[in-house]
mmCIF file of all heavy atoms in Angstrom:
data_model
loop_
_atom_site.group_PDB
_atom_site.id
_atom_site.type_symbol
_atom_site.label_atom_id
_atom_site.label_comp_id
_atom_site.label_asym_id
_atom_site.label_seq_id
_atom_site.Cartn_x
_atom_site.Cartn_y
_atom_site.Cartn_z
ATOM 1 N N SER A 106 -7.173 31.459 3.719
ATOM 2 C CA SER A 106 -8.635 31.357 3.778
ATOM 3 C C SER A 106 -9.072 30.476 2.625
ATOM 4 O O SER A 106 -10.166 30.568 2.128
ATOM 5 C CB SER A 106 -9.261 32.743 3.704
ATOM 6 O OG SER A 106 -8.636 33.444 2.666
ATOM 7 N N GLU A 107 -8.148 29.622 2.187
ATOM 8 C CA GLU A 107 -8.395 28.839 0.989
ATOM 9 C C GLU A 107 -9.277 27.617 1.221
ATOM 10 O O GLU A 107 -9.930 27.148 0.314
ATOM 11 C CB GLU A 107 -7.068 28.362 0.388
ATOM 12 C CG GLU A 107 -6.398 29.438 -0.451
ATOM 13 C CD GLU A 107 -4.929 29.160 -0.645
ATOM 14 O OE1 GLU A 107 -4.548 27.977 -0.679
ATOM 15 O OE2 GLU A 107 -4.169 30.132 -0.740
ATOM 16 N N ASN A 108 -9.251 27.106 2.432
ATOM 17 C CA ASN A 108 -9.907 25.825 2.651
ATOM 18 C C ASN A 108 -11.008 25.924 3.702
ATOM 19 O O ASN A 108 -10.760 25.861 4.896
ATOM 20 C CB ASN A 108 -8.830 24.813 3.072
ATOM 21 C CG ASN A 108 -9.359 23.404 3.030
ATOM 22 O OD1 ASN A 108 -10.574 23.196 3.012
ATOM 23 N ND2 ASN A 108 -8.460 22.439 3.011
ATOM 24 N N ASN A 109 -12.259 26.061 3.230
ATOM 25 C CA ASN A 109 -13.387 26.249 4.133
ATOM 26 C C ASN A 109 -13.654 25.075 5.045
ATOM 27 O O ASN A 109 -14.088 25.242 6.175
ATOM 28 C CB ASN A 109 -14.654 26.504 3.327
ATOM 29 C CG ASN A 109 -14.761 27.959 2.967
ATOM 30 O OD1 ASN A 109 -14.153 28.792 3.655
ATOM 31 N ND2 ASN A 109 -15.493 28.256 1.914
ATOM 32 N N GLU A 110 -13.406 23.875 4.545
ATOM 33 C CA GLU A 110 -13.751 22.697 5.345
ATOM 34 C C GLU A 110 -12.925 22.658 6.641
ATOM 35 O O GLU A 110 -13.286 21.979 7.585
ATOM 36 C CB GLU A 110 -13.610 21.394 4.547
ATOM 37 C CG GLU A 110 -12.183 20.991 4.319
ATOM 38 C CD GLU A 110 -12.008 19.689 3.536
ATOM 39 O OE1 GLU A 110 -12.969 18.915 3.393
ATOM 40 O OE2 GLU A 110 -10.891 19.461 3.065
ATOM 41 N N LEU A 111 -11.829 23.402 6.686
ATOM 42 C CA LEU A 111 -10.998 23.389 7.887
ATOM 43 C C LEU A 111 -11.673 24.076 9.078
ATOM 44 O O LEU A 111 -11.331 23.795 10.225
ATOM 45 C CB LEU A 111 -9.642 24.060 7.620
ATOM 46 C CG LEU A 111 -8.737 23.403 6.574
ATOM 47 C CD1 LEU A 111 -7.426 24.164 6.464
ATOM 48 C CD2 LEU A 111 -8.469 21.935 6.921
ATOM 49 N N GLY A 112 -12.612 24.979 8.800
ATOM 50 C CA GLY A 112 -13.292 25.673 9.894
ATOM 51 C C GLY A 112 -12.311 26.453 10.759
ATOM 52 O O GLY A 112 -11.229 26.830 10.298
ATOM 53 N N THR A 113 -12.665 26.681 12.028
ATOM 54 C CA THR A 113 -11.774 27.492 12.870
ATOM 55 C C THR A 113 -10.651 26.671 13.499
ATOM 56 O O THR A 113 -9.624 27.221 13.866
ATOM 57 C CB THR A 113 -12.528 28.173 14.031
ATOM 58 O OG1 THR A 113 -13.293 27.171 14.689
ATOM 59 C CG2 THR A 113 -13.422 29.286 13.562
ATOM 60 N N GLU A 114 -10.852 25.363 13.643
ATOM 61 C CA GLU A 114 -9.840 24.566 14.349
ATOM 62 C C GLU A 114 -9.053 23.634 13.444
ATOM 63 O O GLU A 114 -8.103 23.000 13.887
ATOM 64 C CB GLU A 114 -10.506 23.732 15.440
ATOM 65 C CG GLU A 114 -10.978 24.532 16.622
ATOM 66 C CD GLU A 114 -11.500 23.598 17.697
ATOM 67 O OE1 GLU A 114 -12.661 23.159 17.584
ATOM 68 O OE2 GLU A 114 -10.765 23.309 18.637
ATOM 69 N N GLY A 115 -9.468 23.527 12.188
ATOM 70 C CA GLY A 115 -8.795 22.607 11.278
ATOM 71 C C GLY A 115 -7.459 23.161 10.804
ATOM 72 O O GLY A 115 -7.169 24.355 10.953
ATOM 73 N N TYR A 116 -6.650 22.284 10.229
ATOM 74 C CA TYR A 116 -5.323 22.679 9.738
ATOM 75 C C TYR A 116 -4.913 21.725 8.633
ATOM 76 O O TYR A 116 -5.487 20.636 8.464
ATOM 77 C CB TYR A 116 -4.284 22.619 10.881
ATOM 78 C CG TYR A 116 -4.094 21.202 11.361
ATOM 79 C CD1 TYR A 116 -3.106 20.382 10.817
ATOM 80 C CD2 TYR A 116 -4.959 20.650 12.301
ATOM 81 C CE1 TYR A 116 -2.977 19.056 11.206
ATOM 82 C CE2 TYR A 116 -4.844 19.327 12.693
ATOM 83 C CZ TYR A 116 -3.854 18.545 12.146
ATOM 84 O OH TYR A 116 -3.737 17.225 12.514
ATOM 85 N N GLU A 117 -3.933 22.175 7.880
ATOM 86 C CA GLU A 117 -3.340 21.331 6.853
ATOM 87 C C GLU A 117 -1.838 21.366 7.090
ATOM 88 O O GLU A 117 -1.276 22.434 7.320
ATOM 89 C CB GLU A 117 -3.671 21.954 5.500
ATOM 90 C CG GLU A 117 -3.680 20.997 4.375
ATOM 91 C CD GLU A 117 -4.087 21.701 3.087
ATOM 92 O OE1 GLU A 117 -5.297 21.956 2.910
ATOM 93 O OE2 GLU A 117 -3.182 22.006 2.305
ATOM 94 N N LEU A 118 -1.227 20.207 7.058
ATOM 95 C CA LEU A 118 0.219 20.147 7.298
ATOM 96 C C LEU A 118 0.863 19.478 6.096
ATOM 97 O O LEU A 118 0.520 18.349 5.748
ATOM 98 C CB LEU A 118 0.491 19.335 8.566
ATOM 99 C CG LEU A 118 1.949 19.174 8.987
ATOM 100 C CD1 LEU A 118 2.575 20.506 9.346
ATOM 101 C CD2 LEU A 118 2.031 18.236 10.200
ATOM 102 N N GLU A 119 1.751 20.203 5.440
ATOM 103 C CA GLU A 119 2.440 19.646 4.285
ATOM 104 C C GLU A 119 3.919 19.621 4.590
ATOM 105 O O GLU A 119 4.522 20.660 4.865
ATOM 106 C CB GLU A 119 2.190 20.540 3.070
ATOM 107 C CG GLU A 119 1.411 19.842 1.992
ATOM 108 C CD GLU A 119 1.312 20.675 0.739
ATOM 109 O OE1 GLU A 119 0.725 21.777 0.829
ATOM 110 O OE2 GLU A 119 1.831 20.220 -0.295
ATOM 111 N N VAL A 120 4.491 18.430 4.558
ATOM 112 C CA VAL A 120 5.903 18.292 4.892
ATOM 113 C C VAL A 120 6.655 17.795 3.660
ATOM 114 O O VAL A 120 6.292 16.773 3.078
ATOM 115 C CB VAL A 120 6.106 17.297 6.055
ATOM 116 C CG1 VAL A 120 7.575 17.258 6.473
ATOM 117 C CG2 VAL A 120 5.217 17.638 7.241
ATOM 118 N N THR A 121 7.675 18.548 3.264
ATOM 119 C CA THR A 121 8.583 18.082 2.211
ATOM 120 C C THR A 121 9.969 18.007 2.839
ATOM 121 O O THR A 121 10.136 18.322 4.023
ATOM 122 C CB THR A 121 8.617 19.043 1.004
ATOM 123 O OG1 THR A 121 9.269 20.253 1.429
ATOM 124 C CG2 THR A 121 7.223 19.364 0.499
ATOM 125 N N GLU A 122 10.952 17.658 2.036
ATOM 126 C CA GLU A 122 12.301 17.590 2.608
ATOM 127 C C GLU A 122 12.821 18.964 2.992
ATOM 128 O O GLU A 122 13.744 19.081 3.796
ATOM 129 C CB GLU A 122 13.241 16.933 1.589
ATOM 130 C CG GLU A 122 12.948 15.453 1.459
ATOM 131 C CD GLU A 122 13.490 14.879 0.166
ATOM 132 O OE1 GLU A 122 14.117 15.618 -0.614
ATOM 133 O OE2 GLU A 122 13.280 13.675 -0.056
ATOM 134 N N ASP A 123 12.225 20.015 2.422
ATOM 135 C CA ASP A 123 12.732 21.370 2.665
ATOM 136 C C ASP A 123 11.925 22.165 3.676
ATOM 137 O O ASP A 123 12.455 22.997 4.392
ATOM 138 C CB ASP A 123 12.732 22.165 1.354
ATOM 139 C CG ASP A 123 13.586 21.501 0.306
ATOM 140 O OD1 ASP A 123 14.677 21.013 0.678
ATOM 141 O OD2 ASP A 123 13.143 21.435 -0.859
ATOM 142 N N ILE A 124 10.636 21.933 3.670
ATOM 143 C CA ILE A 124 9.781 22.833 4.443
ATOM 144 C C ILE A 124 8.653 22.057 5.116
ATOM 145 O O ILE A 124 8.149 21.058 4.584
ATOM 146 C CB ILE A 124 9.222 23.961 3.526
ATOM 147 C CG1 ILE A 124 8.263 24.873 4.282
ATOM 148 C CG2 ILE A 124 8.554 23.416 2.288
ATOM 149 C CD1 ILE A 124 7.885 26.116 3.505
#
Side-chain angles (χ1 to χ4, degrees):
S106 46
E107 279 161 31
N108 192 342
N109 276 337
E110 74 180 345
L111 297 182
T113 50
E114 288 185 279
Y116 65 92
E117 205 177 283
L118 181 64
E119 244 187 298
V120 185
T121 69
E122 289 160 2
D123 301 319
I124 177 170

